[in-house]
Each structure stands twice: as C-alpha cells, then as structure tokens.
Amino acid sequence: MQKLIGKHWHYLPAEEVIDLLESDPGKGLDLFDIEDRRQRFGPNTITTKKGRGPLSRFLLQFHQPLVYILLAASLVTITLKEWVDSGVILGVVLINAVVGFIQEAKAVKAIEALARTMTSEATVIRSGQRQRVSSEEVLPGDIVFLQSGDKVPADMRLFAAKDLKVDESALTGESIPVAKETSPLPHDTILADRRNMIYGSTLITYGQGTGIVVAVGDQTEVGRISELIASAENLETPLLRKIADFSRYLLYAIVFLGGVTFAIGLVRGESAPEMFMAAVALAVGAIPEGLPAAMTITLAIGVARMARKRAIIRKLPAVETLGSTTVICSDKTGTLTENQMTVQEIMAGGEFFEVTGTGYAYTGEIIGENGAVDASRKPALMETLRCGLLCNDSVIAEKDGRLTVQGDPTEGALLSAAVKGGLFEDEIKILWPRVDVIPFESHHQYMATLHKSPEGPLPVVYAKGSVEAILERCAFSLSRNDSREDLSAEKIHAAVNEMASKGLRVLALAKRNLAQGASRLTHEDINGGMTFLGLQGMIDPPRPESTAAVKNCHSAGIQVKMITGDHAVTAAAIAGKIGLSHAEKVLTGKELARLSDGELIEAAETVSVFARVTPEQKLRLVEAIQARGHIVAMTGDGVNDAPALKRADIGVAMGITGTEVAKEAADMVLTDDNFASIEAAVEEGRCIFDNLTKFIIWTLPTNLGEGLVILAAVLLGTALPILPVQILWINMTTAVLLGLMLTFEPREPGIMQRPPRQTDEPILTATLIRRLTLVGVLMLAGAFGLYEYELDVMGASELQARTVAVNVFVMSEIFYLFNCRSLTRSFVKLGFFSNPWIFVGVSVMILLQLLFTYLPVMNLLFHSAPIALESWIRILAAATVVMSVVGGEKWLVKRFAPDTGSNFADAGAPR
C-alpha cells in the first residue's frame, strides 16, 4: 500500500479507493492497522528541512566584497592606532551582519508556518467508534467525518457528502466556497476542479461529508508546496548584485593603486615604512566607509515611507527591488478586486438594470434605461430583490472596520443589492416570516424558503439557484406589469449568455404560492408551476483604484500580469476592466501544462492573463518571466502562492486575507491588500535607488580625489598633503552629515514616466563616471594646488597647509552636495528648501570644520592648525569652481546629449 500514497484518486470510484487502502467505510481502521500504519507513514506533519546552522549562516554574512573593504579599512585604522575609527567601522560591519543573519533566518519560518497550518483535531472512525484525535495522528485509510467549521486534516477522497462546501481559496485561489460531490472525475481534471477531493488545511464552510484519507504529511498537496518553498531559490536583489560588482571592482582598484604607490616610492628611493604608510593613506582615502551606513539608512527611510503607504517591508533590500521591477504578477481576488461579490446587473420583467457600488456596502443605486429607478415602481424588479433577500441565510457584518459576509459571498451580494433597491432586511423578514427551508444541495442546485405573506392568506415560496435548475421548475415568468406570462426560455438563456460573457456569475430567482396553511416545504412542492422572477449577475468587481494603478505601471514601462486560480472567463472580464494588455487572451492551467519550457517563456512574455493555475505552474511562470531578464514582483495570499512568492525577486503578501505561510515567504506585506499600494511602493523604490545613486556619485569623487592627492605626492616626491587620520575625519564626518542628507530627498518629477532600469545596467553609467572623474580631478587640483600655494607662496606651516587641503575637500563636498540633489536638473528648480535636512547637515559640518581648524584639542588630535581669512576665501573659490563646472556639465549633457547615461540620468529629459 505504501506505493499507493501520493497517486491521483479523483478518477477512481470511492469503493475502489477504500479497497486499495484496505479500509472499511463503516468501521474504519482497527487497532493493529493503526499501529502498523503509524510505523510506516509516521505523523501527519510537514517535515522541516535542515539547513545551515546559525554559526555558518552568521559567518557567511561577512563573505561580501564590500565587507572585505571595510574590514581592510578597520585593520588600517588599527595599524594607525585610531581605535575610535576602527571601532566605528567594525560596528558597521557587525550591524550589517546581524541584520542579514536575522533576515535569512526569517526565510526558514515559511516552512514552519506551513507545518502549523496542519495542526487541528479531526473526527475519525476507528474500530467502529467515532473519536476525536489530533490531526497529527491521522493516517492513510482513516475514515474522517467533517462538518461546517472543521479544518481538513489531510488529503481525502470523499464517499459521502451532503450540501458540502469547502473554502479552498488558500490552496487554489478559488474566490468562493466549492460545492463537493462524490462521483469519479476524468483523469486529467486539474486540482481546482477535483470536486470529489478535499485537501489538508482547507476549511469546511457548509454541510457535512465523510472521506477516506489518501495522503498525509509531506505527501499532501500542502506538503508538496512545502517542498516547492524549500527548493525555490532566494534571489539576490538587483541592488545587492550591483553593490557586490561595484565593491569587487573597487577592491581591485584599491589594491592595484596601493601597490603602484608603494612600488613607485621604492623606485624613487623612499623608505619602505614611509611608502607603506602612503599606501595605507591611499587605501583609507579610496574606501567609501559611509556607503554601507548610507545604504542601510536609505533603505530604512524607504521602509518608513512605505509603511505610511500601507506596505510593510520584511526584508530591507526589497525596498529598492521594487524600483527595479519590470513585471508585476498579481493575484486577482482581493488584490485587483474587492474580494466581495457584488451584483452588477439584474434582468427582471424583460428589462435590464445596472447596479452601482462595489463590495457589500449599501451605497449605490439601481439604474434603468432612463437613469436611476425606484424599485417599488417596478414590480418584477422588486420581487427579484425580495427573493434574493428572503431566500438567504447570510448576514453582512462589520469586522475590523470593514464589511464582511458571514456565510456565502453570493448571498452577501444579494443582500446588498436588495438594500440598494430600498428593501431593509429586518423590516422585510418581520413582514415575511420564514416558515420552512430547503437548504442548498449540490445535486439539486437550488435553495428554497417558505414564508407567510402580508399580501394574502397564501404562503409564498421563494427559490434561487442555477439557471438550469430554476428554469426547469418554471412555467411562467413575471412581466414588467406584474402579470404572469408564458415562460420564454430562449430569451432568458440569451440574457444569461450576455451576462456570463461579462464574467458575471448568474443566479435565477423564482416564486410560487402554496395552499393556505402550508407549513412544510418539500422538493415536490417546487418541482413545477413556479413563476420566474429574474436574474441577478454578480462578480467580485475590480477595485476602483486598480485601473489607475495599472495605467501608471504601464506608463512606467512595467508589465502587469494576472495569475489566478479563478475561471478563465471571470479572469478575462476583470483583466479587460482594469486595462491589462491583451486581456482577451487567457492561458489556463491545462494549456500551460502542455507547453515546453521554451514555449512557456514565450507565452509568459506575450500573455497577461493566466487562469486555473496550480502552485507549481505559478512558480514555473515566475521562473519563465525571469528567464527573459525581468525583475518580477509577485503578489499572493494563499498557501499555494508561497513558492512563487519566495522565488520572485520580490514577494508581496496580503496582510488582511493572506495566510501566515504567504506572509513568511514574502518580502513585503500590504496592510490593505490593494494593488494600488504596490504601484505606490514601486514609485518609492525608484526614489530610493535614485537617492542611493546620488549618495554614491557624491561620495566617490572625494575618495578619488584623496587617492589622487596621495598618488601625486608620491610621484612628485613631496610630503603628504593630507594624513590618513585627516582622511578618516573627512570621510566619516561628511558621509554622516552631508551624504546621508541626500537620502531625505523627495521624489523628482516624472519618476513614473520613465522605463525601469535595465537589469545589466551598472550603478555608475558612463555619464556618471565622467562626472565623478571630473570632480575628483578638480578636488585634486584644488587641494594639492592650495597646499603647495600655502607652503611656497604664503609661507604657511605644513600643519596650516594640510588644514587648508582638508577644508578644500570638505567645502568642495558641501558645494557639490547641492549639485547632487538632482543628477540632471539644477537644484534651484527642485525647490531650494524642498529638503531642509541638507541645510541642517551643512550647518553642523561647517561648525565642525571650524572646531577642526581652531580648537586646540582638535589641532592636537588631527594635526591641524588655525588659518587666516584669506585662506578661507581661496578655499571657497575652489569649491565654487567645482559647483560651477558640474552645473555647466549638466547643462551641456542635457543640451547636446540627452540620451546619454542611465534611465535615472535621463529622468525628465526628452527621448
């Protein structure tokens, strides 16, 4: 029997399944069977995969080029006995390692959360007795009884079901509870359509059923999803990839230049210790010590901004990844739509009516050919609405500030439509008290209720259900004039087809009177002679803001694709309403299964709507889109979405409807389950990358200039114009007080009117490299030139000349900081005070430089000395040259080469 576990069971008759699993539908397993199977199959739990140990994961956080550079900087400062600086740099490294370790540990929690979803109790039949056992003790062959409110403990083949409905949304994406049956199904029936199977972790919402357990633990559908989560590769974010490449090249450059400096000095006859210190000074100057801190703080600021827009970031680098996104794969239900069924169209008395409003809210009205209608003046419409309200077991209630339905979502839609037509539930139910009911049963496909009528002595039956089930019981229809006429099935079917083509789920409604005094309702009472009242067409409608958000994404060069477990017609209808590209072309799970990898990659590029897909297919679709070099953001809320959420470049889980499994696998959680929040987060992500780029293009010229000053001094055989400890002062203070102020820059205009960055585009494009080289050379000229001028012309001491050189670097960085507020525009056009933090940072930095220059203790620590006013004028002149040259270079680039550089450099420029 062991080899049977994991096979497909839906196409076999229930009796054959019971025989194959050697069980008994009346007695269940006996004691000896239980012990034997417990040994063979183990507990009904998800196996937690063993990964790297905590120590190994922690040490791997240091295995990054940027960290190597920082460790080297720390070693250099220790060599120089600068304990405070070395402590600061080591602290940055350690904090980054701890944050990375915590983030990686969270990834493992997805599987642990999945295992927790399996924990519950189940009613089993063993040795002929019903008993409650933990779901962990359920075994293959167990006979399990289920009723409304139960969580399904394992995968089961049903052999008895009465009005059984199961909420499978977390597993399949189906937006409404699924009615179950027991008949065998075709072998190729996809998971979401296997009506004779129920799966572990789904919920019974209505009715009762009995089934035999066919799979437990890792062999269940949820267990297979756990395998997919474990095997799904965690991708490095675009930012981390670019920073790693940038750091690697920087490391090579520093080692090369340090070696060249040391070798040149030896050739010139300088002593080895002196040249070693010169190489150390060059290395200290070239290392951007503030970059890791700037990156972490920029991302943290982005996290805070996104939280205000209802997007909670679980993994810090995900903030920037959103800005790189080229494709958003979104679930339909609850993300693009309201996740609340809504009646949108009614046909009654041969007339069509539109119902406005969305969700279960009572705001809205009923629109006829000539505008809003008074339902009380439309007898057929009023009867159709009254039928939907009375033949109804659900209640609309407020939960956490949001209207929800307690019961069937379709009945919630009928209640809301009735209120919009002027009927009030409490009042109508008092006037039309219920006497008896025939609950919905899947093999009858209708529900009926018997009521006393305030309009006469005869009790009235109201019925609702599938169009086929209701029409075959009707002989008449209610006309717009409140008179009965012969039923025209052809006209009704034509109306049904028109509604269904719009993706609407159509219910038919009917009534009849029974004999006076009737108090019981039977199926025979409504087998014929009923009067057809009308149709109500409903759908889970798009969120009003989804259409605008999709349009903004398209303007930003981002493709939006819908991947849903719902039906193809419904998916296509919603896709068309929100403006997805090629919405009429839908690929179903069955069609995807037949595609080769190459065909799937092509289809994933050209098709925007995918329906009835399985968890494996969601994962495969994400991988196919990524195969074309796309950066993929994937949304989801169910257990079935978790593998794809983990594999995507950024996984986005739903905060309201999302399962814990989905949230643990995701990088970001939306607190309002709204697609528009994703679009806002993408905009914020682009701003974050822009600000990081601004910081890098601001800080690197200083590192380059410092390195060039040291190299020039070695080549010319002069004393070092700036000392290693002074270089550390420049780098650490300016990075915190000046560079980090750029992380507070607001978004620039047109940020969502440009295409996403190319995935292979480096952080520093040719335009930016040219600019940082230009600024680095200007700083070299200003610092080295004024250092020599102070010594040779003004007769200053070496301490004073070095103080001038240090101040040239700092003042040049202050003036250049304003240039870097925008890489393409003049900072004046941004609004001079649009980022007040710039002025706070500049003010504090100037104060510190005055202390550095004139405070005796600072003179002692940093080998500085007071300088004259004339020296400050020359320093400010050198800084002004830097600002003016960069401003001129910006104008020239925009005037004569607007298409040069990165997408960011082109922001707002004509193409």
Side-chain angles (χ1 to χ4, degrees), residues 542-720:
R543 291 176 179 267
E545 58 270 35
S546 289
T547 303
V550 168
K551 184 178 180 181
N552 288 343
C553 286
H554 287 163
S555 298
I558 301 170
Q559 299 179 47
V560 180
K561 298 181 184 294
M562 179 194 294
I563 303 178
T564 179
D566 216 335
H567 294 279
V569 173
T570 306
I574 295 296
K577 288 182 178 180
I578 63 175
L580 291 191
S581 305
H582 310 296
E584 71 288 347
K585 186 177 181 181
V586 182
L587 271 181
T588 64
K590 275 188 178 181
E591 293 166 329
L592 287 174
R594 294 193 289 266
L595 297 181
S596 67
D597 289 346
E599 291 170 332
L600 181 64
I601 290 172
E602 181 62 31
E605 184 71 20
T606 57
V607 177
S608 295
V609 186
F610 302 89
R612 307 302 274 176
V613 294
T614 66
E616 292 93 337
Q617 288 171 336
K618 286 189 175 186
L619 179 59
R620 197 170 164 230
L621 274 169
V622 170
E623 292 172 337
I625 296 169
Q626 288 171 333
R628 285 285 181 93
H630 287 292
I631 302 297
V632 180
M634 170 77 189
T635 77
D637 56 6
V639 173
N640 60 326
D641 297 317
L645 288 175
K646 189 180 176 194
R647 180 63 174 84
D649 295 278
I650 178 164
V652 183
M654 303 298 110
I656 299 173
T657 60
T659 61
E660 284 303 310
V661 182
K663 292 175 187 176
E664 290 290 347
D667 305 287
M668 183 173 88
V669 179
L670 299 183
T671 60
D672 61 353
D673 292 10
N674 194 334
F675 182 84
S677 297
I678 304 174
E679 184 264 334
V682 168
E683 187 174 6
E684 196 62 54
R686 290 189 171 191
C687 176
I688 286 161
F689 188 85
D690 288 357
N691 289 348
L692 271 175
T693 306
K694 291 172 185 177
F695 176 86
I696 292 170
I697 196 62
W698 170 82
T699 192
L700 287 186
T702 303
N703 299 118
L704 176 63
E706 289 165 346
L708 290 176
V709 163
I710 303 300
L711 190 58
V714 172
L715 288 172
L716 298 174
T718 67
L720 297 181

Side-chain angles (χ1 to χ4, degrees), residues 38 134 194 204 338 427 440 557 579 786 816 835 850 858 909:
R38 189 171 288 151
S134 166
R194 294 176 188 170
I204 307 298
E338 293 278 2
E427 179 183 329
F440 178 89
L786 285 184
Y816 179 51
N835 180 6
L850 291 174
M858 298 292 277

Side-chain angles (χ1 to χ4, degrees), residues 694 745-749 818-819 821-835 887 890-891 894-895 907-910:
K694 291 172 185 177
E745 280 294 319
R747 292 186 302 277
E748 291 191 44
F818 288 92
N819 290 122
R821 291 189 59 197
S822 172
L823 299 191
T824 57
R825 297 177 175 88
S826 166
F827 66 86
V828 177
K829 292 183 178 179
L830 296 177
F832 199 72
F833 297 102
S834 59
N835 180 6
K890 275 190 197 178
W891 182 84
K894 195 168 185 178
R895 177 72 175 83

Side-chain angles (χ1 to χ4, degrees), residues 85-109:
D85 295 316
S86 62
V88 169
I89 297 171
L90 279 175
V92 170
V93 172
L94 190 60
I95 290 170
N96 284 339
V98 170
V99 170
F101 172 76
I102 292 171
Q103 289 171 359
E104 188 172 336
K106 286 180 179 178
V108 181
K109 288 186 179 178

